[in-house]
Amino acid sequence: MKRHIIPILAFCLLSGSLSYAQSSVDALAKARTAVENAKAEAAPDARQIVYTLKAFNDPDGRLVVGGLTSEASAKEAAVKALEAAGVEYIDSIMVLPSDRWAMTRISAASHRGAGRHAAEMLTQSVMGTPLRVLESNGEWWWVQTPDGYIAYVPSTSVVPKTSEEMAAWRSAKRFIVTSPYQIRAYTSPTSNGVRDVVTDLVNGCIVTAVGGAPKVENGRLHIELPDGRTGYADASALTPLEEWAAQPFDADKILDTAYSMEGTPYLWGGMSTKALDCSGLAKVSYYANGIILMRDASQQALTGKRIEASDWRTCQPGDLLFFGNAKTKKITHVAIYDHNGNYVHSSGRVKRNSVDPDSPSYLTTPFLHAVRINGMEETPGIIRARNHPWYF
């Protein structure tokens, strides 16, 4: 009988090992499914939420869930999903900071898909735009814009701000450039020379009044830029931020802003009156009316009140028209509707065309659907600046 003890014991040990290994594999599979389910629920758009959570076994065979997310709510969703899956794990999830700030210090800063100048330009921010800083290492800072878009910006294009400085800025006497055309800030109330320029300013740039109270000399307002530089800019081109933010919906303001850029060159990722892409035109034009839209056309297309392409005659001025692939329904272009089928858009340059097949200005790019922004403010993807906590 003794000769059978060792084989039987070995079989028992092997069976236990196999059972443990299978249990470990099952737990890892459940954890990975839970993490992916949480991503689909809480972080479906990588353009707006960082979510690199992964489940894995460490060298000691322990189940670990680690990675980065920009939102505490995304981690909470992952933890909830893991608990529902009934797995035990080591929590190595890092939530990026939500209390670190910066502000754009130049008239139009380029934000790229990676921390290098050769990377694709994804978007831009204009001077005075508040930015959430996710990481600030070296030459490139990883930031999030007020519309939620995440990208890399050169450190030279921004200035860091503490939470206290941001709070002071929100209560300061601020002005926004409402001129549709580029202006200049000069070194004095009367200087006009090319060597007297402090900076250029474009529509949407935000500055503050020097000394806390507006002071106008020779028709120029004494202003302070986000990085502390001061200058004098045409007071008629600036509007108190509270007044700008209090605007009601105004389709004419939106369309006038768009038409003022007619002929302006198309620029992939561009989002200022200097040069812009199709969704940039929609954003800049709506921002002139105090409304913050999503960044990309594919994101904008999921907001507002949907209008089917066949019902285009019911469209109203300011509605957004979306174009793309007729088979896949992938959105590739957006325009701003005016009237009688006419619209303004950025394609090669800012120009006018028509959605009416009988119009000589008709373009054959498939028109997929439209959305109405008017009356849909404060629904997902559409927010007035006056209600955005980064501004007020």
Side-chain angles (χ1 to χ4, degrees), residues 251-300:
D252 284 334
K253 170 65 70 68
I254 293 164
L255 286 162
D256 284 349
T257 302
Y259 284 128
S260 74
M261 291 180 274
E262 191 150 7
T264 296
Y266 177 96
L267 175 65
W268 181 272
M271 209 185 73
S272 81
T273 54
K274 295 182 177 186
L276 28 60
D277 58 22
C278 63
S279 54
L281 178 69
K283 275 190 64 69
V284 169
S285 300
Y286 264 86
Y287 192 64
N289 193 209
I291 299 171
I292 301 171
L293 299 181
M294 301 288 279
R295 175 59 185 97
D296 292 341
S298 60
Q299 296 173 312
Q300 295 169 358

Side-chain angles (χ1 to χ4, degrees), residues 101 103 128-130 146 163 165-176 204 206-208 239-247 287 289-292 378 383-392:
W101 301 96
M103 196 168 285
T129 301
S163 295
E165 288 172 327
M166 289 300 297
W169 176 77
R170 293 185 190 103
S171 63
K173 189 62 178 177
R174 297 168 291 170
F175 290 82
I176 186 168
I206 301 174
V207 296
T208 57
T239 300
L241 197 68
E242 295 83 356
E243 182 180 323
W244 162 79
Q247 296 177 83
Y287 192 64
N289 193 209
I291 299 171
I292 301 171
E378 313 317 319
I383 185 170
R384 285 197 167 276
R386 66 174 179 245
N387 296 321
H388 198 301
W390 294 11
Y391 288 84
F392 292 95

Side-chain angles (χ1 to χ4, degrees), residues 107 177 179-184 199-203 237 273-274:
S107 60
V177 177
S179 165
Y181 305 113
Q182 189 174 18
I183 64 170
R184 299 284 189 275
T199 186
D200 67 318
L201 297 166
V202 298
N203 186 274
T273 54
K274 295 182 177 186

